[in-house]
């Protein structure tokens, strides 16, 4: 812990004073028992290998409880950002494999620009492998690295690094889709990779996007119709988060892993199929309930039993009178109509789908069947309450919105290149 704390202090000094100011400064480990020890480059390399292979990752204990999804102190978040490791400094990428670098980023934290370069390089390797035999069945390096990073983030319980990984993955995947469409030669792609990293270095995904309100991005999407419907890239290739979701109960990590599952459901079109199935199920319930109070009361008993056994993550128990009266039927009729509207008017790969889901969630007070159906549509398990679903949808919208802005920058770059060619 002390040695890693020393590395974090050095990273913070580099952030505050500049890389050139502390370049070459030796590290000393001083204890009353052992005296002074110089931490040589070989020892630092061994420490990095230990951190990424055998040590359970952990956050700075003095910052951990001040940088959560529900309790973020700006002062403590600033320090966390200053302590992020630059993967391009101290020959870290020369010492560690890409997978180890991803674990370091997820478990201990890495700067946006250096992590972006790592992911961009993985994407470029995927491009190079496209013509190899069986390339379509191999797991892509980019997805593999992000899965490694998310696994370490779950082990360290770090909401911020997991969120950073998902957003940067979405941005890099969006850029990759653009590059496929342009059919560039490898040298052109690598040049753009460096330029893309510089774009991100001017603003911090972890700091600025963590401080912003993701739901405002969803609400603003209706005012930016052209952005969200015409220039939006598809959701990124799916990540394998099923095992990770079962390994955590952290609200922040559930939001991030839930967002990854939401994007996966959009990308593979499972959300549309499940929505049609959900409409059918709720309409069957309405048809039976309109003619039988006994059926509604039996359903209420089943729901309250499930809530008591913690099989359904609801903030409140189901209200008895809602099932005795027609309120439950009214709520579910409206819910079914909203789902039908989503199917008829929404592109399930766009942010408009997320906006329609967010609108549904924002009107729910004590849902039961409706919440179960939303969990089913989005691919989430029964631990996801209304608040968890909302957070997951908001983060998924953040990923798509930022990818849409990246698409705009990409189009501007293409226009600039065409102008240069014309002048030539």
């Amino acid at each position: 812990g002390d040695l890693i704390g020393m590395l974090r202090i050095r990273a913070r000094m580099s952030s505050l004073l500049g890389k050139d100011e502390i370049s070459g400064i030796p590290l000393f480990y001083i204890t009353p028992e052992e005296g002074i020890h110089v931490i040589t480059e070989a020892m630092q390399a061994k420490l990095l290998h230990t951190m990424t292979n055998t040590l359970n990752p952990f956050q700075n204990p003095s910052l951990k409880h001040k940088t959560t999804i529900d309790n973020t102190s700006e002062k403590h978040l600033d320090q966390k950002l200053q302590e992020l490791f630059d993967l391009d400094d101290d020959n870290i990428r020369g010492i560690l494999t890409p997978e180890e670098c991803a674990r370091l980023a997820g478990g201990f934290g890495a700067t946006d620009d250096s992590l972006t370069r790592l992911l961009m390089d993985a994407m470029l390797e995927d491009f190079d492998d496209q013509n190899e035999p069986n390339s379509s069945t191999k797991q892509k390096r980019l997805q593999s690295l992000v899965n490694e990073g998310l696994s370490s983030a779950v082990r360290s319980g770090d909401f911020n690094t997991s969120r950073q990984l998902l957003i940067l993955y979405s941005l890099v995947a969006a850029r990759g889709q653009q590059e496929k469409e342009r059919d560039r030669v490898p040298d052109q792609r690598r040049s753009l990779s460096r330029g893309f990293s510089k774009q991100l270095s001017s603003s911090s995904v972890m700091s600025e996007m963590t401080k912003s309100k993701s739901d405002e991005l969803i609400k603003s999407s209706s005012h930016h119709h052209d952005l969200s419907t015409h220039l939006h890239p598809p959701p990124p290739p799916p990540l394998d988060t099923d095992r990770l979701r079962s390994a955590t109960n952290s609200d922040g990590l559930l939001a991030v892993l839930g967002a990854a599952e939401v994007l996966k459901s959009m990308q593979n079109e499972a959300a549309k199929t499940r929505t049609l199935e959900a409409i059918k199920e709720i309409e069957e319930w309405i048809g039976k309930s309109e003619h039988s109070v006994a059926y509604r009361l039996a359903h209420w008993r089943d729901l309250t039993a499930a809530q008591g056994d913690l099989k359904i993550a609801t903030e409140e128990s189901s209200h008895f009178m809602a099932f005795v009266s027609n309120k439950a039927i009214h709520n579910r009729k409206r819910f079914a109509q909203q789902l039908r509207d989503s199917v008829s008017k929404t592109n399930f790969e766009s942010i408009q789908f997320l906006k329609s889901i967010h609108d549904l969630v924002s009107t729910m007070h004590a849902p039961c069947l409706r919440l179960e159906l939303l969990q089913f549509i989005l691919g989430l398990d029964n631990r996801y309450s209304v608040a968890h679903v909302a957070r997951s949808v908001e983060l998924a919208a953040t990923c798509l919105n930022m990818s849409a802005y990246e698409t705009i920058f990409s189009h501007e770059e293409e226009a600039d290149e065409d102008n240069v060619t014309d002048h030539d």
Side-chain angles (χ1 to χ4, degrees), residues 122-281:
M123 182 193 72
L124 293 173
E125 289 183 29
D126 288 334
F127 279 137
D128 295 339
D129 289 345
Q130 283 179 346
N131 296 324
E132 291 186 3
N134 303 321
S135 62
S136 60
T137 59
K138 290 170 57 179
Q139 185 180 30
K140 301 300 184 182
R141 285 184 175 85
L142 177 57
Q143 291 162 270
S144 177
L145 287 188
V146 176
N147 282 325
E148 287 285 346
L150 288 176
S151 178
S152 285
V154 168
R155 290 168 61 199
S156 67
D158 199 326
F159 155 70
N160 292 286
T161 58
S162 64
R163 188 178 193 275
Q164 175 201 34
L165 273 163
L166 184 61
I167 292 175
L168 290 180
Y169 170 62
S170 300
L171 288 170
V172 170
R175 172 50 65 98
Q177 183 64 31
Q178 291 294 316
E179 295 307 300
K180 283 183 182 178
E181 293 172 1
R182 294 180 186 182
D183 196 24
R184 297 182 187 275
V185 299
D187 288 344
Q188 289 176 317
R189 287 173 177 161
R190 293 187 186 280
S191 175
L192 281 173
S193 170
R194 291 188 290 271
F196 182 45
S197 299
K198 289 179 181 177
Q199 284 179 11
L200 281 177
S201 65
S202 62
S203 63
S204 171
V205 167
M206 189 182 289
S207 62
E208 294 187 12
M209 294 311 301
T210 299
K211 295 174 185 175
S212 69
K213 295 292 186 182
S214 300
D215 59 337
E216 291 176 4
L217 292 173
I218 295 182
K219 295 172 184 175
S220 67
S221 68
S222 59
H223 302 297
H224 297 285
H225 184 74
D226 291 338
L227 170 66
S228 59
T229 58
H230 297 297
L231 287 178
H232 79 277
L239 296 168
D240 181 16
T241 60
D242 293 342
R243 176 180 54 84
L244 296 179
R245 283 204 311 279
S246 64
T248 182
N249 286 312
S250 160
D251 287 342
L253 287 168
L254 284 176
V256 174
L257 299 174
E261 187 63 30
V262 170
L263 292 170
K264 175 182 176 181
S265 298
M266 295 170 67
Q267 195 269 348
N268 62 17
E269 298 186 351
K272 183 174 183 178
T273 302
R274 293 172 187 157
T275 300
L276 295 173
E277 293 177 14
I279 292 172
K280 181 179 179 181
E281 180 175 340

Side-chain angles (χ1 to χ4, degrees), residues 11-181:
R12 190 179 185 191
M13 290 176 62
S14 177
S15 174
L16 294 172
L17 303 177
K19 297 178 183 178
D20 294 338
E21 296 297 327
I22 68 162
S23 178
I25 292 180
L27 294 179
F28 295 99
Y29 184 64
I30 306 173
T31 62
E33 298 80 13
E34 302 293 336
I36 300 176
H37 287 277
V38 178
I39 310 299
T40 65
E41 290 184 358
M43 294 173 68
Q44 293 177 48
K46 186 176 180 180
L47 175 60
L48 288 171
H49 281 294
T50 301
M51 290 169 64
T52 55
N53 289 285
T54 58
L55 184 67
N56 195 48
F58 59 90
Q59 302 178 56
N60 183 334
S62 65
L63 305 178
K64 182 176 180 178
H65 300 294
K66 295 293 185 179
T67 54
T68 64
I69 190 171
D70 295 316
N71 181 28
T72 298
S73 158
E74 187 170 347
K75 172 185 174 183
H76 291 84
L77 181 60
D78 286 342
Q79 181 178 338
K80 185 180 183 72
L81 296 174
Q82 292 162 2
E83 293 180 355
L84 297 176
F85 295 117
D86 189 331
L87 301 177
D88 298 315
D89 277 357
D90 302 311
N91 194 34
I92 290 179
R93 289 191 61 179
I95 296 170
L96 302 178
T97 65
E99 290 75 16
E100 289 170 334
C101 286
R103 291 179 211 140
L104 183 68
F108 298 93
T111 60
D112 288 340
D113 51 343
S114 68
L115 179 55
T116 300
R117 278 189 284 273
L118 177 72
L119 299 181
M120 287 292 287
D121 287 347
M123 182 193 72
L124 293 173
E125 289 183 29
D126 288 334
F127 279 137
D128 295 339
D129 289 345
Q130 283 179 346
N131 296 324
E132 291 186 3
N134 303 321
S135 62
S136 60
T137 59
K138 290 170 57 179
Q139 185 180 30
K140 301 300 184 182
R141 285 184 175 85
L142 177 57
Q143 291 162 270
S144 177
L145 287 188
V146 176
N147 282 325
E148 287 285 346
L150 288 176
S151 178
S152 285
V154 168
R155 290 168 61 199
S156 67
D158 199 326
F159 155 70
N160 292 286
T161 58
S162 64
R163 188 178 193 275
Q164 175 201 34
L165 273 163
L166 184 61
I167 292 175
L168 290 180
Y169 170 62
S170 300
L171 288 170
V172 170
R175 172 50 65 98
Q177 183 64 31
Q178 291 294 316
E179 295 307 300
K180 283 183 182 178
E181 293 172 1

Side-chain angles (χ1 to χ4, degrees), residues 213-223 351-352 354-359 390 392-398 401:
K213 295 292 186 182
S214 300
D215 59 337
E216 291 176 4
L217 292 173
I218 295 182
K219 295 172 184 175
S220 67
S221 68
S222 59
H223 302 297
I351 197 172
Q352 292 302 318
L354 295 177
K355 184 179 185 303
S356 66
I357 295 296
H358 194 266
D359 289 343
S392 296
V393 169
E394 288 163 7
L395 180 52
T398 296
N401 249 323

Side-chain angles (χ1 to χ4, degrees), residues 1 46 76 105 130 237 259 289 342 346 349 355 399 416:
K46 186 176 180 180
H76 291 84
Q130 283 179 346
S289 297
S342 295
T346 300
E349 286 191 352
K355 184 179 185 303
C399 293
D416 290 342

